[in-house]
Amino acid sequence: MTGNELIALFEKGQKRYHLIGGIQNGVIAGLDLEGRLFTIINGEVANRVNPEAILGITTRDSYLNPGGDGLWPAPEGTCLGYEYSTDKWRVPPGLTSAKFKVIETDLNQATIEAEVDLINASGRGIATIFRRAVTVLPASNMITVKVIESIEYIGSKTLSSQECLLAPWTLCQFDSGPGCEVFFPEVDDKDVWDMYDSSNSHRFNIGGFCHITTDATLRYQIGLSEKVPWIELILPEQNLTVKRYAMPLSASQKYIDIIDAPPEEQPSDKGVRYSIYSDTDGFMEIEAAGGCPDVITPGCVMNVEVITEFKTKS
């Protein structure tokens, strides 16, 4: 899909958008689509696009995953997660119905934000502002997208980490298939783990790197600790590589477990810096997470800078 075709889709679905950079090399932000970001390189959209989500609406009975690169609240599950405020998994309606607005803009930069009220699995309401400060740096056969992902707590009460965990979590989604894989520098076994079912059949180490096959033949999710400096995705069908760096956290914040665990479970102490998700429906995600302080005070901002480099292979 070209950038122009994606804009036409937004206009047909009557959903607002904002172009950062150029239509050949830039980012389209879906202001009525969870603030999702879609990167364009050499005129083509690199991310997965779900036209149904742009033309339709998410309801309680059916979540339409837009694709692109989304900002979600972490953790997903446990008693402090944000997908189990009701009797079944759902993306918070405060996010799916959020109306992002552009608060700063320049040719290659824009900041978008929206108020998003969250409810965790313990029934606590958490008032927030989701903010994405995006900078686009195009070059020959390459585009670098820098995003400061932040969630600002605007509630009136101070909350401990036993009452509330909250971290920004960016999920960058792509179509996947034969030859698709992610690799990163080899680390100790304890720094790479399966969140759910085993991915051992799709993991191997060679030449000082750990390789993860994400060819849509197995559903799994892998957590990576702060010891992993970066992750890189190879998309052979698109002749594209995508490399993500999550910058180190400030001293006041620490990584948390983003796992989709049942709401009766307590969060673990396994902090996630990156995550790799592979689905048998033909898509995958390279994810990066920020952290959370021990105490969340009114006006506290949880943020992380994520740099994503998109390169076409010559």
Side-chain angles (χ1 to χ4, degrees):
M1 178 179 291
T2 67
N4 282 316
E5 289 171 338
L6 180 56
I7 285 178
L9 200 58
F10 271 99
E11 292 176 346
K12 183 178 179 180
Q14 298 183 335
K15 288 188 171 64
R16 296 174 306 128
Y17 64 90
H18 182 76
L19 176 63
I20 308 164
I23 194 61
Q24 285 296 111
N25 294 282
V27 169
I28 295 174
L31 302 177
D32 294 331
L33 206 67
E34 300 179 22
R36 298 258 176 158
L37 308 176
F38 298 85
T39 296
I40 310 160
I41 181 168
N42 295 335
E44 296 290 327
V45 180
N47 297 99
R48 177 177 183 261
V49 178
N50 180 8
E52 186 182 6
I54 300 175
L55 299 177
I57 59 171
T58 283
T59 67
R60 184 173 182 228
D61 298 319
S62 177
Y63 174 62
L64 303 179
N65 192 325
D69 180 352
L71 172 60
W72 274 19
E76 183 170 358
T78 77
C79 61
L80 297 181
Y82 297 99
E83 270 67 38
Y84 291 96
S85 59
T86 62
D87 61 346
K88 61 181 180 180
W89 185 95
R90 68 167 184 171
V91 180
L95 178 56
T96 58
S97 62
K99 300 297 181 184
F100 280 78
K101 64 178 181 179
V102 179
I103 61 170
E104 293 181 358
T105 186
D106 202 345
L107 176 61
N108 289 319
Q109 186 276 332
T111 300
I112 63 173
E113 71 174 27
E115 291 191 53
V116 179
D117 288 343
L118 301 170
I119 303 172
N120 69 18
S122 295
R124 180 177 294 276
I126 300 152
T128 73
I129 294 174
F130 278 40
R131 187 177 295 116
R132 314 190 79 180
V134 184
T135 301
V136 174
L137 301 172
S140 177
N141 295 319
M142 175 180 175
I143 181 169
T144 300
V145 181
K146 297 183 179 182
V147 186
I148 299 176
E149 308 279 16
S150 65
I151 300 178
E152 180 180 355
Y153 171 60
I154 59 173
S156 60
K157 295 182 178 180
T158 296
L159 303 173
S160 71
S161 58
Q162 286 71 48
E163 297 172 298
C164 174
L165 284 178
L166 180 59
W169 174 25
T170 167
L171 305 86
C172 200
Q173 199 170 104
F174 300 90
D175 294 318
S176 63
C180 180
E181 72 168 19
V182 177
F183 69 96
F184 51 86
E186 191 174 342
V187 291
D188 292 341
D189 289 345
K190 64 181 177 62
D191 295 306
V192 183
W193 64 93
D194 288 305
M195 293 186 172
Y196 316 112
D197 296 333
S198 173
S199 64
N200 286 345
S201 63
H202 283 53
R203 289 163 54 180
F204 62 95
N205 293 344
I206 186 171
F209 294 92
C210 180
H211 294 256
I212 315 290
T213 303
T214 56
D215 58 1
T217 60
L218 184 71
R219 183 178 181 270
Y220 60 84
Q221 187 165 3
I222 295 170
L224 306 176
S225 83
E226 61 182 308
K227 300 298 184 182
V228 176
W230 49 262
I231 57 177
E232 184 165 352
L233 168 65
I234 299 173
L235 295 166
E237 290 190 5
Q238 293 177 252
N239 198 35
L240 189 68
T241 64
V242 185
K243 190 172 187 177
R244 299 203 98 180
Y245 305 84
M247 297 298 100
L249 301 180
S250 66
S252 64
Q253 301 184 45
K254 61 183 181 181
Y255 294 104
I256 66 170
D257 192 358
I258 66 173
I259 193 169
D260 181 10
E264 60 270 14
E265 292 189 13
Q266 294 288 326
S268 79
D269 59 359
K270 294 183 75 68
V272 175
R273 184 178 188 178
Y274 301 102
S275 178
I276 300 162
Y277 175 73
S278 181
D279 199 287
T280 53
D281 284 341
F283 73 93
M284 59 82 61
E285 295 170 344
I286 48 175
E287 307 173 359
C292 183
D294 289 331
V295 177
I296 300 177
T297 56
C300 181
V301 179
M302 285 62 71
N303 57 28
V304 62
E305 181 178 0
V306 179
I307 299 172
T308 309
E309 297 175 347
F310 297 78
K311 293 182 182 179
T312 57
K313 300 176 71 175
S314 56

